[in-house]
Amino acid sequence: MKRKSLVSATAVFLIIAFTSIGALAITKTSTIRVDGMKCSKCSGSVEKALKATPGVEKVEISLDRKEAVVEYDDQKVTEAKLREVINATGFKAVEAKPDSQ
Amino acid sequence: MNKKIIIAALFLFVPVVAFGQDSLPPQLTIKDINGGYIRLSQYRGKVVLVNFWATWCPPCRAEIPDLIRLQRDYRSRGLQVIGITYPPQKLVDVRRFARGAKVNYPIGLGNKKTKLLFTPNETLPMTIVIGTDGRIRDIIEGILLPEEFEQKIKPLLK
């Protein structure tokens, strides 16, 4: 009986612990202006490189607004790293505006 | 009736095979930027990366130092990079860029017909991976990422 209670208590503790860890992982959205991104044939590289970055969940590229809207897990990747990834594709990430937290 | 269906299916299937993986690459001979010719057949037995690029394309320019490094580091393991400009560009512009970047692999001047020999896809850059057996192993759209080289190209090398 005592052992059963201990197992139940452990299970409850683990559920709470995992739920808390999940709650800490916040999906952040950043809109990053990408200078020089005007060619539809070559802008795919920005999306490809961002999507291959661990922690990035969603990427939307707008050629009209010359920007990348990136949803990411800020526990795994930073906004600065996202700009680095964009710069490595030959374009220039000029600023990042946090939309939500 | 069945014969007609089979013939129709073959017509639908052929273009997919022609552009798909594991198909034989075309017999390609194009002018290079130094006045010579690049013949794809002369690289049979090597792992060939046919890289379509343009001097005005930022990701194409960004990946050229990586292609230079790969050519240098993996030449002894049978890697051969070939650059083909697309869409058509002036020889003088391509030559100036290639010399400035110290490109260590052949560069040819391509056009739409050259590109269509491999794929109708218009993405730039675009890299066609040809195995030592002469068959197209992969078509990499966009900039070649390090993990793509590790997973898709390195295992084909000696």
Side-chain angles (χ1 to χ4, degrees):
Chain A
M1 185 66 183
K2 201 174 176 184
R3 195 176 164 188
K4 203 174 175 183
S5 303
L6 189 67
V7 170
S8 303
T10 309
V12 170
F13 171 77
L14 287 173
I15 289 167
I16 292 169
F18 281 117
T19 312
S20 305
I21 290 166
L24 288 173
I26 297 165
T27 297
K28 203 170 172 181
T29 304
S30 286
T31 301
I32 305 173
R33 184 170 163 77
V34 186
D35 258 11
M37 193 173 64
K38 52 191 173 189
C39 152
S40 61
K41 286 179 185 173
C42 43
S43 61
S45 288
V46 176
E47 187 174 354
K48 177 181 175 179
L50 284 169
K51 280 184 174 171
T53 306
V56 170
E57 291 162 6
K58 194 178 171 191
V59 179
E60 276 178 27
I61 300 292
S62 168
L63 274 180
D64 293 340
R65 295 191 299 274
K66 292 183 179 52
E67 63 187 27
V69 182
V70 190
E71 287 181 19
Y72 58 99
D73 179 345
D74 69 351
Q75 301 290 306
K76 293 180 183 165
V77 66
T78 63
E79 209 170 81
K81 174 67 183 170
L82 297 177
R83 286 198 296 272
E84 257 178 50
V85 169
I86 292 170
N87 290 339
T89 65
F91 296 102
K92 173 80 181 154
V94 288
E95 61 183 295
K97 301 172 198 163
D99 293 340
S100 63
Q101 292 195 2
Chain B
M1 181 63 182
N2 279 346
K3 205 174 173 183
K4 278 182 184 171
I5 292 169
I6 291 166
I7 290 167
L10 278 174
F11 272 104
L12 285 172
F13 187 62
V14 165
V16 177
V17 171
F19 294 127
Q21 289 177 28
D22 269 347
S23 60
L24 284 167
Q27 294 296 313
L28 175 71
T29 302
I30 54 166
K31 275 189 176 177
D32 75 13
I33 57 171
N34 297 314
Y37 285 91
I38 298 169
R39 289 179 185 82
L40 197 53
S41 58
Q42 77 189 74
Y43 299 107
R44 194 71 185 264
K46 289 180 179 288
V47 174
V48 182
L49 304 184
V50 179
N51 177 248
F52 285 95
W53 69 289
T55 58
W56 46 260
C57 156
C60 305
R61 290 198 306 263
E63 79 170 348
I64 279 180
D66 291 331
L67 294 174
I68 291 170
R69 185 182 53 75
L70 293 175
Q71 179 63 91
R72 187 187 62 228
D73 295 351
Y74 292 94
R75 185 191 299 271
S76 60
R77 289 180 61 184
L79 183 74
Q80 181 60 56
V81 181
I82 297 172
I84 298 180
T85 54
Y86 173 79
Q89 286 201 256
K90 285 182 185 167
L91 171 63
V92 65
D93 294 338
V94 179
R95 193 184 276 161
R96 187 187 303 124
F97 180 91
R99 286 180 182 168
K102 296 191 169 84
V103 175
N104 58 354
Y105 51 83
I107 291 183
L109 300 172
N111 53 34
K112 196 166 182 79
K113 204 174 154 189
T114 322
K115 183 92 183 304
L116 279 173
L117 287 170
F118 294 93
T119 173
N121 195 314
E122 289 285 307
T123 303
L124 279 177
M126 169 87 72
T127 302
I128 316 293
V129 182
I130 301 170
T132 52
D133 58 358
R135 291 185 177 273
I136 293 175
R137 292 296 174 194
D138 222 313
I139 295 177
I140 297 171
E141 294 177 38
I143 203 163
L144 176 63
L145 300 174
E147 54 267 37
E148 284 179 307
F149 179 78
E150 291 294 322
Q151 290 162 13
K152 298 177 175 179
I153 300 167
K154 216 170 170 181
L156 302 174
L157 297 170
K158 284 184 221 164

